[in-house]
Amino acid sequence: MALRRRLAAILIVILSLAAPALGGQAEESLVRGFIERLDKSPGWKASATRIGSTASLTIVEGLKIDREDGSANAEVANVTLDSLVLREGGGISLRGFTLTGSRLSGANWSFTGPAVTGKNLIVPGIADWSFEPKAPFTSLARFYTILATAEFSAIDMPSAAFAQSLALPDKAGTSKTTATYKDMHLGALAGGVLAGQSVARVEQNTAIAGTSVTSTMENIAVSGVSLAAVARVFDPAAYAGGKGDGQWIKALESGSYGRITVSEGGREHFSMGPITIGSIEVRQTPEPFALAFDQSVSIGEKPSPAEMSNFLEANASNLLGWMRLTSLNFRNLKGTSPEAGAFTLDDLGIADISSDGLKRLNISGFAATAPEFSANLKSFEIGDIIWPSLKAFRPFVGLEESKKAGSLDPQAAAEAAETFMTIFPKIGHIALSGLSAGVPGGEPLTLDSYEATLSGKYALLSEKTDSRIGNLTIPHGMLAATPESRELFDALGYKKLVLHAEGTGSYDEATGRYATGTKLGVDDAGALHIAYALAALTPARLTALLTPIFMAGSGEPNPALLMHAAGPIALESFTLRFEDASLTRRLLAYAAKLQDIDEPTLISNLAAITQLGISQMGQPEFTAAAIGAMTSFLKNPRSITFSVAPAKPVEIQELMALDPANPGAAITLLGISVKAND
């Protein structure tokens, strides 16, 4: 499609250059004058073997237009112009045109088109346009604005061929590329909108060092291409007051590819299709980025890393964010490799992607096989993603520069810490189903489903989080990966493990309260519950906590600064609960067998060892309760719960201030308890 646009642009430029300063002369004189004027222009040569006319037709034979430096050459055996008319303002109009025997070429490339035809062409005059070497991008943008006012009913090229040779680096030889095009068509262009473009088939072959790769694209089509919308974004003259309005305007209605294939040595290695493209929208950036690119000219062809960094930092907001795609869908992807194996993917879709975020990315029907690995995935989706602002990364650039300078800037570290929570993309939801992975021929690890939803201002501390894992199955082959693990799981009687989990989380930015709870269950084993709540984990506290970490660079942070920053963070509660479903009985039987004792003796020994350790804390009531709960659980395993429930939130600095000689004080302060079978 890009090649067709370039050819159309070249054609329009050649025709439009005939108009200025020659208005009012006969058609032959118009063409002859254009060739003569171009031939006298610095760096150009132009000639024709014959110029004639009959009825409404103007005929040019043997047309040649060359750059004297050999960078570009154009030859057309025959040009037929129907009803050539000079328009007001220097433009021209044609009822139709035909080019036969066309060839465009350069030092190492060529493009040939046996025939090109067009109908009802109107080309605007460009007498008022000139190319400014110091502002090349602005010049081209303004030319594009002029080009967007051209009109035609249709342009067709039944066939074409392209060839290019490139010398490879390090004397590795030459790559040769050839391509053929079939049935290229441009629909009507009016009001700055091209109704449609299509190509029936493109076949390209690239030969490098004896290897030949062929790719084909079939049934390429796009509709509703708005040159005017793109010109509005690129041309600084379209920005009212030099500032962009940020309004989204449709630049493409839709597009599609029938099928794409890649083969080597006659064997197909990759294919996909159909491919569908939804509308593409563009918008003016805060400032015209053509001006930003013009500024890049001033820093030379080989800017230093510092110059390039400064340029990107100053113009990042103008270089990004000007386009969004409403949808993109790939179907029936297939790939094979003798060394790597094969993969298939039924569907890959993207919805509403831009520099602001991504509404949805989904895949379905994925399968991959390799000599030592295979995987399948029924579906995966991730969406409601918001990308971080580029401004959030600037403090980290400054921090890195201070590191390279040999000294860490405390202010740079503080600024990096302050923006740390904003550098991660925010994800709204994730969903996965039907995952399996393992060794071909073996029993795979499988995951039935995974779901998570997140909301709030930050990615790491979401205002609300809900997640669920459904049936993660670990097969016996993975449990028995080593002789030791095989012995353990066989002794416990597990031929596989089936896990499932669910969790929730919440965060209040104003108070800094963060609470989370997770339940992990294993079929025929038990379930583990973990829940805790923290207080005073505010953004300001996180900044204070991260600052000494960033100040440390690649070394260890200052412990005193770290503890001082973490001190006000408080623990509100903590719960660890295990609900047994046979695991405890299995472990007791296994341990008793290893020690060659019976289970009651094992339980007594465990209670005695535990009592010896806890009693040193000087809390006899807690020790008695804990040992009683443990013994009760081991004799009749149902549940055991370890809880931290202080009368009020306990700050880290309070814990650090406790007397090391009185470890039992922590039990009283934290309100620790142990219960069984409740």
Side-chain angles (χ1 to χ4, degrees):
M1 287 184 286
L3 180 57
R4 299 197 303 280
R5 287 195 293 270
R6 289 197 294 269
L7 293 175
I10 291 171
L11 174 63
I12 291 173
V13 171
I14 291 175
L15 294 173
S16 65
L17 287 174
L22 294 173
Q25 297 186 22
E27 290 85 346
E28 290 184 35
S29 298
L30 281 172
V31 176
R32 186 175 289 107
F34 160 65
I35 295 174
E36 292 176 353
R37 185 162 60 89
L38 186 60
D39 188 56
K40 294 177 181 178
S41 301
W44 291 90
K45 288 185 177 180
S47 63
T49 57
R50 176 180 175 274
I51 301 173
S53 60
T54 175
S56 64
L57 303 179
T58 303
I59 301 170
V60 183
E61 297 177 354
L63 176 64
K64 292 185 178 182
I65 301 175
D66 303 315
R67 287 287 297 170
E68 291 183 342
D69 60 7
S71 60
N73 306 280
E75 298 180 12
V76 186
N78 183 283
V79 179
T80 301
L81 308 175
D82 186 1
S83 302
L84 174 62
V85 175
L86 182 66
R87 294 171 58 85
E88 183 178 353
I92 61 170
S93 66
L94 296 167
R95 186 161 60 192
F97 69 87
T98 301
L99 281 67
T100 58
S102 303
R103 176 182 170 85
L104 306 175
S105 61
N108 55 8
W109 64 273
S110 66
F111 180 88
T112 58
V116 183
T117 60
K119 297 179 181 179
N120 301 321
L121 178 68
I122 298 176
V123 181
I126 60 170
D128 296 332
W129 177 84
S130 62
F131 182 79
E132 298 292 336
K134 293 184 179 181
F137 295 98
T138 297
S139 298
L140 293 174
R142 288 176 177 166
F143 178 76
Y144 199 88
T145 298
I146 297 172
L147 186 65
T149 64
E151 296 183 10
F152 53 77
S153 295
I155 295 178
D156 291 283
M157 185 181 297
S159 64
F162 172 81
Q164 183 178 37
S165 297
L166 294 175
L168 299 175
D170 301 324
K171 299 181 180 180
T174 302
S175 71
K176 296 183 178 180
T177 300
T178 58
T180 58
Y181 302 81
K182 181 180 179 182
D183 293 337
M184 293 190 288
H185 171 75
L186 298 179
L189 173 64
V193 178
L194 182 64
Q197 305 178 57
S198 63
V199 182
R201 181 182 175 87
V202 179
E203 181 171 321
Q204 177 175 297
N205 179 272
T206 300
I208 303 177
T211 301
S212 179
V213 177
T214 300
S215 62
T216 63
M217 294 181 286
E218 299 175 356
N219 299 324
I220 307 167
V222 297
S223 64
V225 182
S226 178
L227 282 65
V230 177
R232 186 176 181 277
V233 171
F234 280 82
D235 189 353
Y239 285 63
K243 301 296 181 182
D245 58 18
Q247 298 296 313
W248 290 108
I249 300 176
K250 192 172 292 186
L252 175 72
E253 187 73 35
S254 64
S256 64
Y257 290 78
R259 191 166 185 262
I260 296 176
T261 63
V262 178
S263 60
E264 180 181 350
R267 179 181 177 183
E268 185 177 295
H269 288 293
F270 175 79
S271 66
M272 64 177 173
I275 303 167
T276 57
I277 305 168
S279 63
I280 294 177
E281 297 178 342
V282 296
R283 64 180 175 185
Q284 291 182 338
T285 49
E287 296 179 0
F289 55 73
L291 299 178
F293 280 115
D294 285 340
Q295 293 171 13
S296 69
V297 176
S298 64
I299 63 177
E301 294 182 1
K302 296 182 178 180
S304 67
E307 287 176 324
M308 182 55 67
S309 176
N310 292 336
F311 170 75
L312 292 176
E313 182 176 353
N315 297 285
S317 62
N318 294 329
L319 300 177
L320 299 174
W322 63 278
M323 182 181 73
R324 74 178 179 190
L325 175 65
T326 59
S327 66
L328 179 62
N329 184 260
F330 302 87
R331 294 187 61 82
N332 302 324
L333 282 78
K334 297 180 181 180
T336 60
S337 169
E339 300 81 14
F343 81 91
T344 61
L345 179 61
D346 291 345
D347 185 87
L348 186 155
I350 297 173
D352 197 4
I353 182 171
S354 70
S355 63
D356 297 329
L358 170 65
K359 182 64 177 177
R360 185 179 68 255
L361 167 66
N362 65 274
I363 64 175
S364 62
F366 173 79
T369 58
E372 299 180 355
F373 179 78
S374 66
N376 290 272
L377 178 62
K378 182 179 179 181
S379 67
F380 171 79
E381 180 175 312
I382 185 170
D384 295 329
I385 299 174
I386 300 176
W387 310 123
S389 167
L390 289 174
K391 293 181 180 179
F393 293 93
R394 290 180 181 176
F396 292 90
V397 175
L399 183 63
E400 190 63 29
E401 289 177 350
S402 70
K403 289 181 184 179
K404 292 179 180 180
S407 62
L408 284 167
D409 182 1
Q411 181 62 30
E415 290 177 357
E418 186 175 3
T419 60
F420 178 75
M421 294 294 291
T422 65
I423 66 173
F424 300 95
K426 289 184 289 183
I427 299 173
H429 70 273
I430 305 173
L432 176 152
S433 69
L435 172 66
S436 66
V439 178
E443 189 177 3
L445 178 147
T446 64
L447 174 60
D448 287 356
S449 64
Y450 170 75
E451 299 177 51
T453 59
L454 308 93
S455 62
K457 184 177 179 180
Y458 301 108
L460 297 184
L461 289 176
S462 296
E463 183 178 305
K464 186 177 180 181
T465 305
D466 289 287
S467 61
R468 184 181 300 273
I469 295 175
N471 294 339
L472 172 63
T473 302
I474 304 174
H476 184 264
M478 293 185 180
L479 297 179
T482 66
E484 294 79 10
S485 65
R486 175 186 290 274
E487 179 184 356
L488 173 62
F489 286 106
D490 285 351
L492 294 177
Y494 288 113
K495 299 302 181 182
K496 65 180 179 179
L497 293 182
V498 180
L499 293 79
H500 34 83
E502 58 185 43
T504 61
S506 63
Y507 177 64
D508 187 326
E509 180 183 356
T511 63
R513 186 179 191 274
Y514 176 72
T516 182
T518 302
K519 176 184 176 181
L520 173 64
V522 180
D523 286 358
D524 202 23
L528 183 67
H529 303 251
I530 301 175
Y532 64 89
L534 301 175
L537 198 64
T538 61
R541 183 52 44 199
L542 288 168
T543 298
L545 187 62
L546 291 168
T547 298
I549 296 176
F550 289 132
M551 277 295 297
S554 58
E556 294 294 326
N558 186 307
L561 293 176
L562 200 60
M563 291 309 302
H564 176 74
I569 299 173
L571 176 65
E572 286 189 3
S573 63
F574 176 83
T575 301
L576 178 65
R577 177 182 174 86
F578 176 69
E579 297 174 348
D580 188 71
S582 83
L583 177 61
T584 304
R585 286 295 187 195
R586 294 170 188 256
L587 287 172
L588 288 173
Y590 177 64
K593 183 178 181 181
L594 285 179
Q595 298 180 38
D596 196 22
I597 57 177
D598 58 27
E599 288 186 28
T601 302
L602 174 64
I603 293 173
S604 297
N605 291 345
L606 290 173
I609 294 171
T610 305
Q611 183 173 7
L612 180 63
I614 298 178
S615 62
Q616 298 178 13
M617 303 185 74
Q619 292 280 349
E621 292 184 5
F622 172 77
T623 300
I627 297 304
M630 186 188 79
T631 303
S632 176
F633 172 74
L634 292 177
K635 289 181 177 180
N636 182 23
R638 295 201 305 272
S639 69
I640 187 165
T641 305
F642 174 85
S643 300
V644 175
K648 64 180 184 62
V650 178
E651 295 181 348
I652 292 176
Q653 57 196 7
E654 291 182 75
L655 290 173
M656 298 303 297
L658 291 174
D659 184 359
N662 183 20
I667 294 176
T668 302
L669 178 64
L670 293 171
I672 298 175
S673 64
V674 182
K675 296 180 180 180
N677 300 333
D678 57 341

